[in-house]
Amino acid sequence: MKFRYSSAAVLSAISVLFGAAHAQTGTAKISDGIVKIGVLTDINGPFMDNVGKGSIVATEIAVEEFGGKVLGMPIEVVTADHQNKADIASTKTREWLDRDKVDAVTELGNSAVALAAMKIAQEKGRMSIVTGAGAQRISNEDCSPNNVHWVYDSYALANVGTKSLVKKGFKTWYYVTADYAFGHSLENDGKRFIEDAGGKVVGSSRYPFPGNDFASYIVKANESKASAVAIATAGLDLQNAIKQGREFGLGTGGQASVAMLMSIMDVHGLGLKNAGGMMFAESFYWDYDNASRQFAEKFMKKMKRMPTALQAGQYSAIRTYLKAVEQAKTDDVTEVIKAMKRMSINDAFAKNGKLRDDGKMVHDMFLVKVKTPAESRKPWDYYSIEETVPGSEAFEGLAQSKCALVKK
């Protein structure tokens, strides 16, 4: 039996074979001929405003800026809701890495979710990019050679959010704290920095989480005569505590009212009448410079609001990841992370950024103060930056790290 082939068919087959060979064995080595990014986030839960759809959009903006391709190969973004459950995150991560050939799983805005996904990514030889979770252990005792930790951690938040204020003269502190692990961590870390800077915690009240009535705790805070009152909680509890605090005069008469974890969406939800004068640590502000404003403008067109620090950090991390793939000429995780560590990272989110051996991206952090209605000049004009803290001072040093990747 004789087989006949048209010249067009032969040329087409050669072209396909050549393209596949080029993706794998030529100057560029891209697995499966595609770079696939999986955004695993909280789409419908309590953190959806800080991450969620906005983090997906931030990823898409970074991909669009690359023209949808890297090294001539297409970039694809897939998404899923982890529902803030580590078991759901684990199942989806395994499915993505085994069946769908995802190269990097990212966002992971919940520390338990992040730790679960990181472990699987390392096991499968793929990359995890944590932008939405802040537990220090992510890049400390549970660090992974396949993981990067991008936006902030609890150490930097407590450090910048307290030490700078003690130096400004706020020497005595009172804590209103959510009575669960995260709240305790915020209080304990903050207390350490306050005392290191020469200040003192004169008292604290722990409320059952979640809570609705903060009146008795706020009265105790006012009675303490502390020069600063720290609210160690997040989300709707934080907003409710601030609103009720204003009714009792919290943060007036020269007293500082400090949020241990706050975002621009919390400020937007509260309004400047309630949030004005609040101080906290922040890692991004949309109106900081031309680069941040350009990204914010793109984000605003898609989301009709300004990005949070976590969403800006997601954009930065994906942009840097794609640049590293381009420089390494491969999506192999080891080579990509090597390329990322060689970079100086300055973009819409990061100022003076550098990826360390423990996988933590250190960068400048800000102490911000929320403007009053009279101080705000335009929509979303919410922050004044009181102090810029270099990354080397904001984040814990490598000498104190428990990460096994750090050479002592």
Side-chain angles (χ1 to χ4, degrees):
M1 183 180 292
K2 294 182 179 180
F3 295 93
R4 296 181 180 178
Y5 303 96
S6 70
S7 58
V10 171
L11 287 173
S12 177
I14 291 172
S15 175
V16 169
L17 289 171
F18 178 79
H22 181 74
Q24 296 298 328
T25 63
T27 56
K29 297 180 180 179
I30 300 298
S31 59
D32 307 304
I34 187 170
V35 174
K36 189 173 289 189
I37 300 166
V39 184
L40 190 54
T41 188
D42 180 2
I43 295 176
N44 297 302
F47 306 121
M48 64 180 183
D49 286 339
N50 283 337
V51 286
K53 184 179 178 181
S55 288
I56 295 170
V57 165
T59 304
E60 292 170 346
I61 292 172
V63 171
E64 288 167 5
E65 290 182 356
F66 268 75
K69 293 184 177 181
V70 60
L71 297 172
M73 302 298 161
I75 305 165
E76 182 180 343
V77 178
V78 295
T79 66
D81 189 343
H82 57 57
Q83 300 177 43
N84 292 291
K85 296 178 180 178
D87 58 340
I88 291 176
S90 295
T91 299
K92 177 52 67 173
T93 300
R94 286 190 185 278
E95 179 183 296
W96 272 353
L97 302 187
D98 288 338
R99 186 193 71 186
D100 299 332
K101 308 303 180 185
V102 166
D103 296 293
V105 58
T106 182
E107 203 284 291
L108 306 170
N110 172 304
S111 293
V113 161
L115 290 163
M118 285 167 54
K119 185 176 181 180
I120 296 168
Q122 182 178 352
E123 173 191 324
K124 301 293 183 180
R126 307 290 175 79
M127 188 165 181
S128 53
I129 304 172
V130 178
T131 62
Q136 212 184 337
R137 58 189 290 191
I138 290 168
S139 47
N140 200 20
E141 59 263 41
D142 290 321
C143 68
S144 162
N146 292 26
N147 182 67
V148 296
H149 191 190
W150 211 255
V151 177
Y152 59 57
D153 62 21
S154 57
Y155 181 102
L157 289 175
N159 183 8
V160 176
T162 56
K163 189 183 293 183
S164 299
L165 288 173
V166 175
K167 292 178 180 177
K168 290 178 180 294
F170 298 96
K171 298 291 187 181
T172 55
W173 289 65
Y174 191 96
Y175 269 81
V176 176
T177 303
D179 192 11
Y180 75 124
F182 178 67
H184 299 172
S185 178
L186 288 175
E187 179 180 335
N188 293 335
D189 286 344
K191 182 178 179 180
R192 176 171 52 148
F193 292 118
I194 290 165
E195 292 176 347
D196 286 349
K200 182 180 181 181
V201 176
V202 297
S204 68
S205 294
R206 290 185 172 178
Y207 74 89
F209 177 86
N212 294 309
D213 186 358
F214 297 89
S216 62
Y217 310 110
I218 291 165
V219 168
K220 289 180 181 178
N222 279 335
E223 289 175 347
S224 74
K225 305 298 182 183
S227 57
V229 175
I231 303 175
T233 189
L236 291 177
D237 277 27
L238 174 68
Q239 293 186 33
N240 287 332
I242 292 170
K243 287 177 182 177
Q244 292 175 35
R246 287 291 185 251
E247 296 173 5
F248 287 87
L250 187 65
T252 61
Q255 182 187 59
S257 185
V258 184
M260 299 307 296
L261 177 60
M262 196 170 191
S263 79
I264 197 167
M265 287 305 295
D266 290 318
V267 174
H268 189 69
L270 285 163
L272 297 184
K273 182 178 179 181
N274 286 314
M278 293 288 300
M279 301 181 78
F280 55 96
E282 186 56 289
S283 51
F284 169 82
Y285 182 42
W286 73 269
D287 202 17
Y288 180 78
D289 61 12
N290 286 335
S292 61
R293 285 187 284 271
Q294 287 170 7
F295 166 67
E297 183 178 349
K298 293 178 182 179
F299 189 92
M300 172 66 85
K301 286 180 180 178
K302 293 174 178 286
M303 290 294 294
K304 309 306 178 187
R305 61 174 177 82
M306 288 303 176
T308 65
L310 298 177
Q311 291 157 349
Q314 176 71 9
Y315 161 81
S316 169
I318 298 305
R319 184 174 180 271
T320 305
Y321 168 72
L322 293 174
K323 287 176 65 177
V325 170
E326 191 173 60
Q327 291 183 17
K329 298 189 183 332
T330 178
D331 57 2
D332 175 78
V333 61
T334 301
E335 297 304 315
V336 168
I337 289 182
K338 284 181 182 177
M340 293 175 83
K341 288 180 178 178
R342 291 193 293 267
M343 295 179 185
S344 294
I345 303 164
N346 284 281
D347 54 28
F349 168 78
K351 311 304 172 191
N352 303 308
K354 190 69 179 175
L355 186 63
R356 301 193 314 196
D357 287 343
D358 57 356
K360 192 190 303 291
M361 200 276 280
V362 299
H363 52 84
D364 292 354
M365 293 282 292
F366 309 114
L367 177 69
V368 301
K369 185 176 183 179
V370 180
K371 292 183 177 182
T372 64
E375 293 168 333
S376 180
R377 297 286 181 255
K378 57 187 176 182
W380 297 91
D381 178 24
Y382 290 166
Y383 296 168
S384 62
I385 295 177
E386 301 291 295
E387 185 175 349
T388 300
V389 182
S392 59
E393 297 177 18
F395 293 87
E396 186 172 39
L398 282 177
Q400 289 74 47
S401 177
K402 297 176 184 176
C403 174
L405 303 173
V406 176
K407 296 177 182 179
K408 298 292 186 179

